[in-house]
Amino acid sequence: MTIWIRSLIISQHLMGTEEIVLVHHTDCGMLTLDEVDLRRSVESRAGRAPPFLFGAFSDLEKDMRLSKRRLRSSPFLLKKDRIRGFIYDVKSGGLKEV
């Protein structure tokens, strides 16, 4: 389970959060990484592969839609009907809802 889902579970169960807003941003470093290459690099230096995925992606909108689907399918979240996702453009300062 990724840290951000863990934090949302805690927020809903302990603080009563009822809405979720995700914000991805342009020029994200995760856009430049290759999951397989990164895992191989870490494994070669650490002596074993990490027991988790880093979550590298190549398409912001596709990853946002995937992130929202993951949240909606989580059995641990209490409120899943108000999940919104945005992409923040770091150059223009604009937000685009996905």
Side-chain angles (χ1 to χ4, degrees):
M1 177 181 312
T2 61
I3 292 172
W4 58 274
I5 292 178
R6 180 196 67 198
S7 297
L8 290 170
I9 293 167
I10 292 167
S11 180
Q12 284 195 347
H13 284 265
L14 300 181
M15 296 180 265
T17 301
E18 295 185 2
E19 296 182 46
I20 297 171
V21 176
L22 301 174
V23 180
H24 284 13
H25 60 89
T26 59
D27 296 334
C28 178
M30 296 303 285
L31 284 164
T32 65
L33 300 176
D34 178 274
E35 186 77 32
V36 173
D37 290 343
L38 180 56
R39 291 181 64 75
R40 283 184 186 141
S41 176
V42 170
E43 182 176 12
S44 72
R45 292 184 174 129
R48 61 182 167 166
F52 54 84
L53 295 174
F54 290 98
F57 54 90
S58 59
D59 184 313
L60 277 172
E61 289 190 23
K62 183 177 177 181
D63 190 67
M64 176 59 75
R65 288 188 292 275
L66 177 60
S67 296
K68 288 166 56 177
R69 275 196 304 273
R70 283 183 186 138
L71 292 176
R72 286 190 181 106
S73 69
S74 173
F76 305 110
L77 290 174
L78 302 172
K79 300 283 186 168
K80 298 183 261 191
D81 56 328
R82 291 189 282 178
I83 299 174
R84 296 176 70 188
F86 296 86
I87 294 176
Y88 172 69
D89 187 313
V90 297
K91 291 181 180 144
S92 72
L95 280 175
K96 174 184 173 183
E97 188 161 10
V98 176

